[in-house]
């Protein structure tokens, strides 16, 4: 029996149909000598710090660093049923081997191997490595299963990334949060990304709008403009001098130029264009693309390549011939003779560029959701563009001299649209207007040396423009190229994150409240600005984080030991704590909005109320001196039966006078409320409570001060 494990039920279903495992069971398929099951994505994750030691439930700076001696994995409660299914299947004695059919990348490798380790299976493992969910690709993949050991380094890289993110996130977040009394969520990649947003916002906020002027001349069907003029008086003077005067064409230069067709899509480029055309977020594009992949309509989505391998050329030629049946705005099939321009074996590592599949031609695309269809059309039209000839155009530069001042105009005429015809058809189909670049009309009768007899002069006022806020498109581009200038030319640059993780990084920034979406823009929030203001440069350095990505690539390729990578991360954590140790007391109060409710009865230091969603997870009033450990719990055993909790006013009274008057205590015996003074005394360093009844009440009952705990 052969067991096949995929990431999702939908993928398992596709694999099952191809290999003949048609019988649906609870949590798996069976048939034709195969068992096919799934992991439900990340079935096993690294546990929270408190699982290693309960003391980590409360955040204390003194407990840092948290560096597990042995990393523990745990299965989420909602996924335990499927985990039990896998545990039984993966330990069956009749297994010949297991096929890891999770997505062909770092995460897929990690998802499978974590479960394999947790269930304690000893069965041999083979790897299904495919770039398409088409039936033919699946059959080909099963016919040429890989040795799982060939992907050991890929798994090591995935685990290094996960552990590095855990170590930096858990330690740096707790360190800065407890130092500044404000929740500061720090991430190995998300913090440098946030720093880029902050840097852009500083430029926008610091921008001073300044006016400038241009003078234009019109005559004989031609309009030319001056360079920028800073002073309005100078512009007005030039208008007066030129008005009605003759002007001479001193330059008329025509240059034939070419623009090469764009390369095929990798994930990041597709996400950027989907944002530009349709306003989709990076995550929305990735989700739609993943659905198309599982539906056998496009190839593997999480790729960083924009090329295909030589052996794919004939397949792509077939795809090109079928494109008119797929794209409603394409009438003729692109010429497949130029497919060679898409081929570069050296620039395809794990997966080739994103392509439509051959099965997509036979699919009923009318059943696709709008977002999926738009992304699919985007992928298809890029393939059509990529094999078309260059766009050839003629650029005309004109210079006119008047009153010893040069005025200029630039015109552009497309001679042979080439690939541009496909983009124009795509834009027309979606009613998307292209970029409105200045393009002057140059009369055909114009010649160099020609005199314009009497020109009309005019002045226009303009303003300098501030830097633009990031959109998802431009932020993805910035993440992709972050730190490049600081690397050697031969360094393989990976930027911030990877194509597979950048969408998630942006989502984390938005979810944490450090960034927000405003239309297409990704804008900074007050919390984001405050967080970056206290973080040291090395934690928000794009270049350093990009270098970590390169080191991960080194682990993946067997050029750097995983232990060495993690040792460097631990050194980074130590550096974080060393920096936090040096934060002055006055600086620590920067965000401290806490108001003392009184002084500690043990040490005299201020007592504060724990804050919801802050690093204190318990509901109490606590001493600001962590070594004191005084706590006044809002819920305690003495008051529980009286259905009362200690509020802020009561706590202030107790700390000031040792007692507080309560009017709504509940008597279980009488099923009624009553009033009394709650008295607090310290016994062995802990609060002890009793009730005291006011004199009119106690004399009436004939009782003195009441019961004690």
């Amino acid at each position: 029996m052969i067991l096949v494990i995929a990431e999702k039920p939908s993928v398992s279903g596709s694999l099952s149909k191809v290999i003949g495992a048609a019988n649906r069971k609870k949590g798996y398929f069976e048939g034709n000598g195969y068992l096919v099951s799934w992991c439900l994505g990340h079935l096993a994750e690294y546990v929270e710090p408190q699982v290693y030691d309960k003391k980590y439930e409360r955040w204390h700076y003194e407990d840092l660093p948290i560096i597990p001696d042995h990393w523990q994995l745990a299965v989420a409660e909602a996924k335990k049923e499927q985990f039990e299914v896998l545990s039984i299947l993966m330990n069956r004695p009749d297994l010949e081997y297991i096929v890891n059919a999770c997505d062909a990348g770092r995460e897929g490798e990690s998802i499978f191997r974590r479960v394999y380790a947790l269930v304690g299976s000893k069965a041999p493992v083979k790897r299904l490595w495919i770039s398409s969910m088409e039936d033919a690709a699946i059959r080909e993949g099963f016919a040429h299963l890989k040795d799982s050991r060939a992907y050991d380094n890929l798994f090591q890289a995935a685990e290094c990334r996960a552990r590095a993110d855990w170590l930096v996130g858990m330690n740096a977040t707790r360190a800065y949060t407890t130092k500044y009394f404000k929740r500061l969520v720090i991430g190995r990649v998300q913090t440098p990304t946030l720093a880029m947003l902050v840097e852009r916002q500083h430029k926008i906020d610091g921008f001073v709008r300044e006016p400038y002027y241009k003078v234009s001349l019109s005559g004989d069907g031609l309009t030319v403009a001056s360079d920028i003029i800073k002073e309005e008086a100078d512009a007005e003077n030039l208008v007066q001098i030129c008005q009605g005067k003759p002007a001479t064409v001193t330059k008329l230069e025509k240059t034939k130029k070419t623009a090469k067709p764009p390369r095929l899509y990798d994930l990041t480029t597709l996400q950027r264009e989907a944002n530009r055309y349709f306003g989709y977020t990076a995550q929305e594009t990735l989700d739609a693309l993943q659905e198309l992949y599982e539906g056998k309509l496009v190839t593997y989505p999480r790729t960083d390549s924009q090329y295909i391998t030589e052996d794919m050329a004939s397949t792509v030629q077939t795809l090109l011939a079928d494109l008119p049946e797929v794209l409603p705005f394409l009438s003729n099939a692109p010429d497949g003779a130029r497919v060679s321009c898409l081929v570069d074996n050296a620039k395809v590592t794990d997966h080739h560029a994103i392509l439509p599949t051959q099965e997509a031609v036979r699919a009923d695309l009318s059943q696709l959701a709008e977002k999926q269809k738009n992304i699919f059309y985007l992928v298809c039209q890029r393939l059509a563009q990529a094999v078309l000839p260059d766009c050839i155009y003629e650029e005309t530069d004109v210079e006119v001299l008047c009153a010893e001042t040069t005025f200029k105009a630039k015109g552009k005429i497309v001679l042979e649209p080439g690939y541009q015809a496909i983009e124009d058809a795509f834009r027309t189909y979606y009613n998307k207007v292209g970029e409105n670049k200045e393009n002057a009309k140059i009369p055909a009768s114009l010649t160099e040396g020609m005199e314009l007899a009497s020109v009309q002069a005019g002045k226009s006022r303009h303003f300098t423009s501030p830097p633009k806020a990031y959109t998802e498109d431009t932020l993805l581009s910035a993440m992709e190229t972050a730190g490049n200038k600081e690397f050697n030319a031969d360094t393989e640059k990976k930027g911030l994150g990877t194509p597979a993780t950048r969408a998630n990084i942006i989502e984390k920034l938005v979810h944490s409240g450090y960034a927000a979406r405003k239309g297409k823009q990704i804008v900074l929030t007050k919390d984001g600005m405050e967080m970056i203001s206290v973080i040291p440069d090395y934690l928000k350095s794009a270049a350093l984080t990009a270098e970590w990505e390169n080191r991960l690539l080194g682990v993946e390729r067997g050029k750097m030991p995983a232990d060495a990578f993690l040792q460097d991360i631990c050194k980074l954590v130590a550096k974080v704590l060393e920096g936090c140790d040096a934060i002055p007391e006055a600086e620590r109060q920067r965000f401290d909005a806490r108001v003392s409710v009184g002084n500690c009865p043990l040490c005299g230091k201020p007592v504060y109320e724990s804050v919801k969603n802050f690093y204190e997870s318990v509901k109490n009033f606590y001493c600001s001196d962590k070594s004191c450990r005084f706590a006044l719990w809002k819920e305690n055993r003495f008051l529980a039966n009286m259905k009362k909790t200690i509020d802020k006013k009561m706590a202030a009274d107790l700390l000031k006078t040792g007692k507080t008057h309560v009017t709504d205590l509940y008597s279980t015996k009488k099923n009624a409320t009553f009033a009394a003074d709650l008295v607090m005394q310290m016994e062995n360093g802990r609060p002890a409570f009793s009730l005291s009844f006011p004199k009119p009440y106690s004399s009436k009952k004939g009782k003195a001060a009441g019961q004690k705990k």
Side-chain angles (χ1 to χ4, degrees), residues 492-540:
E492 186 164 357
K493 305 171 182 67
K494 303 299 286 185
L496 291 176
T498 65
T501 62
R502 287 177 190 132
N504 185 249
I505 292 164
I506 295 173
E507 292 304 317
K508 282 183 177 180
L509 286 175
V510 174
H511 181 72
S512 65
Y514 293 150
R517 288 191 171 92
K518 185 178 180 181
K520 285 188 178 182
Q521 294 180 344
I522 304 289
V523 297
L524 188 67
T525 65
K526 179 184 176 183
D527 282 345
M529 182 73 80
E530 289 179 346
M531 205 274 277
I532 289 297
S533 69
V534 300
I535 301 302
D537 289 342
Y538 65 87
L539 274 181
K540 53 191 179 188

Side-chain angles (χ1 to χ4, degrees), residues 597-598 607 609 621 630 632-636 638-640 642-665 676-680 689-691:
V597 295
V607 172
E609 181 180 17
F621 300 89
F630 167 79
L632 185 59
W633 295 87
K634 296 180 180 181
E635 296 180 1
N636 59 69
F638 183 75
L639 292 175
M642 289 177 269
K643 299 183 179 180
K644 188 66 181 175
T645 58
I646 297 176
D647 59 27
K648 193 171 183 178
K649 179 185 179 306
M650 293 169 64
D653 291 344
L654 290 169
L655 293 171
K656 184 176 182 180
T657 65
K659 67 178 181 179
T660 182
H661 188 66
V662 187
T663 60
D664 57 349
L665 296 167
D677 288 340
L678 177 66
V679 180
M680 180 182 76
F689 298 100
S690 62
L691 292 182

Side-chain angles (χ1 to χ4, degrees), residues 165-217:
D165 289 347
W166 194 100
L167 288 168
V168 174
M170 293 297 180
N171 285 284
T173 296
R174 290 184 178 221
Y176 278 93
T177 294
T178 52
K179 281 293 182 181
Y180 280 99
F181 309 104
K182 177 181 176 68
R183 188 170 183 84
L184 300 173
V185 181
I186 298 172
R188 185 181 61 88
V189 182
Q190 82 177 48
T191 299
T193 304
L194 178 62
M196 291 196 303
L197 289 173
V198 172
E199 182 181 8
R200 177 62 58 89
Q201 191 62 48
H202 281 320
K203 290 179 179 178
I204 294 172
D205 293 341
F207 179 81
V208 178
R209 192 175 76 151
E210 295 180 353
Y212 66 91
Y213 304 86
K214 283 191 173 185
V215 173
S216 61
L217 305 182

Side-chain angles (χ1 to χ4, degrees), residues 305-323:
S305 178
Q306 293 184 292
Y307 295 89
I308 62 172
T309 52
E310 192 172 356
D311 62 313
M312 296 179 62
S314 60
T315 300
V316 172
Q317 285 178 328
T318 303
L319 284 171
L320 290 168
D322 291 335
L323 280 183

Side-chain angles (χ1 to χ4, degrees), residues 82-242:
Q82 183 60 20
F83 176 76
E84 291 301 321
V85 171
L86 290 173
S87 181
I88 293 170
L89 293 176
M90 295 173 85
N91 285 292
R92 280 178 54 147
D94 61 341
L95 287 184
E96 183 181 347
Y97 56 85
I98 301 175
V99 177
N100 173 8
C102 292
D103 280 2
R106 275 187 199 169
E107 293 306 302
E109 198 66 27
S110 179
I111 286 169
F112 171 82
R113 293 205 188 200
R114 286 181 178 185
V115 174
Y116 182 80
L118 277 179
V119 303
S121 177
K122 302 299 181 185
V125 179
K126 296 186 179 184
R127 188 58 159 108
L128 176 70
W129 193 272
I130 55 178
S131 292
S132 169
M133 288 299 297
E134 291 176 282
D135 292 356
I138 293 172
R139 282 191 289 269
E140 178 73 10
F142 272 98
H144 298 91
L145 292 172
K146 311 291 186 180
D147 185 340
S148 179
R149 291 172 295 183
Y151 301 93
D152 287 349
N153 290 333
L154 185 68
F155 172 63
Q156 290 297 326
E159 293 301 273
C160 280
R161 183 202 61 77
R163 292 178 182 184
D165 289 347
W166 194 100
L167 288 168
V168 174
M170 293 297 180
N171 285 284
T173 296
R174 290 184 178 221
Y176 278 93
T177 294
T178 52
K179 281 293 182 181
Y180 280 99
F181 309 104
K182 177 181 176 68
R183 188 170 183 84
L184 300 173
V185 181
I186 298 172
R188 185 181 61 88
V189 182
Q190 82 177 48
T191 299
T193 304
L194 178 62
M196 291 196 303
L197 289 173
V198 172
E199 182 181 8
R200 177 62 58 89
Q201 191 62 48
H202 281 320
K203 290 179 179 178
I204 294 172
D205 293 341
F207 179 81
V208 178
R209 192 175 76 151
E210 295 180 353
Y212 66 91
Y213 304 86
K214 283 191 173 185
V215 173
S216 61
L217 305 182
S218 299
D220 291 349
L222 175 68
T223 299
V224 289
S226 69
D227 290 333
I228 290 174
I229 302 171
K230 291 187 176 181
E231 300 298 330
E232 185 176 13
D234 292 340
E236 184 61 38
N237 183 53
L238 185 58
V239 169
Q240 296 301 323
I241 294 173
C242 293

Side-chain angles (χ1 to χ4, degrees), residues 195-425:
M196 291 196 303
L197 289 173
V198 172
E199 182 181 8
R200 177 62 58 89
Q201 191 62 48
H202 281 320
K203 290 179 179 178
I204 294 172
D205 293 341
F207 179 81
V208 178
R209 192 175 76 151
E210 295 180 353
Y212 66 91
Y213 304 86
K214 283 191 173 185
V215 173
S216 61
L217 305 182
S218 299
D220 291 349
L222 175 68
T223 299
V224 289
S226 69
D227 290 333
I228 290 174
I229 302 171
K230 291 187 176 181
E231 300 298 330
E232 185 176 13
D234 292 340
E236 184 61 38
N237 183 53
L238 185 58
V239 169
Q240 296 301 323
I241 294 173
C242 293
Q243 177 63 32
K245 299 294 191 300
T248 304
V249 178
T250 57
K251 178 181 179 181
L252 180 64
E253 186 175 277
K254 296 185 178 183
T255 309
K256 187 178 289 188
K257 295 186 176 182
T258 61
K260 292 188 176 300
R263 292 194 292 268
L264 297 171
Y265 283 132
D266 61 8
L267 176 58
T268 300
T269 311
L270 177 58
Q271 287 170 318
R272 290 182 58 198
E273 293 225 329
N275 179 254
R276 197 180 308 147
Y277 281 118
F278 304 114
Y280 297 159
T281 69
Q283 191 62 53
E284 286 174 333
T285 298
L286 178 56
D287 290 344
L289 201 59
Q290 181 69 26
E291 290 168 353
L292 290 169
Y293 170 66
E294 293 176 16
K296 307 183 181 186
L297 299 179
V298 299
T299 58
Y300 186 74
R302 293 171 176 81
T303 178
D304 61 358
S305 178
Q306 293 184 292
Y307 295 89
I308 62 172
T309 52
E310 192 172 356
D311 62 313
M312 296 179 62
S314 60
T315 300
V316 172
Q317 285 178 328
T318 303
L319 284 171
L320 290 168
D322 291 335
L323 280 183
E325 298 181 42
V326 175
L327 295 176
F329 48 85
L330 186 65
S331 54
N332 299 313
D335 185 2
R338 300 187 74 254
V339 166
S340 59
C341 68
L342 310 180
V343 174
D344 193 331
N345 289 356
K347 293 183 179 179
V348 179
T349 51
D350 294 334
H351 298 283
H352 54 72
I354 300 170
L355 296 169
T357 65
Q358 290 179 300
E359 290 194 23
V361 180
R362 300 186 295 273
D364 183 3
L365 300 180
S366 66
Q367 300 302 309
L368 289 179
E370 180 183 11
K371 197 171 294 181
Q372 294 175 4
K373 184 183 290 186
N374 290 344
I375 296 297
F376 180 72
Y377 283 173
L378 202 54
V379 171
C380 292
Q381 65 88 32
R382 176 54 71 95
L383 172 59
Q385 285 191 59
V387 297
L388 287 183
D390 298 347
C391 173
I392 301 174
Y393 59 96
E394 184 179 76
E395 194 169 81
T396 303
D397 288 306
V398 177
E399 291 184 5
V400 172
L401 186 66
C402 184
E404 299 183 354
T405 302
T406 298
F407 297 80
K408 300 176 182 179
K410 188 184 292 288
K412 175 182 174 181
I413 300 174
V414 175
L415 303 176
E416 298 176 27
Y419 75 88
Q420 190 69 52
I422 301 294
E423 183 178 349
D424 291 344

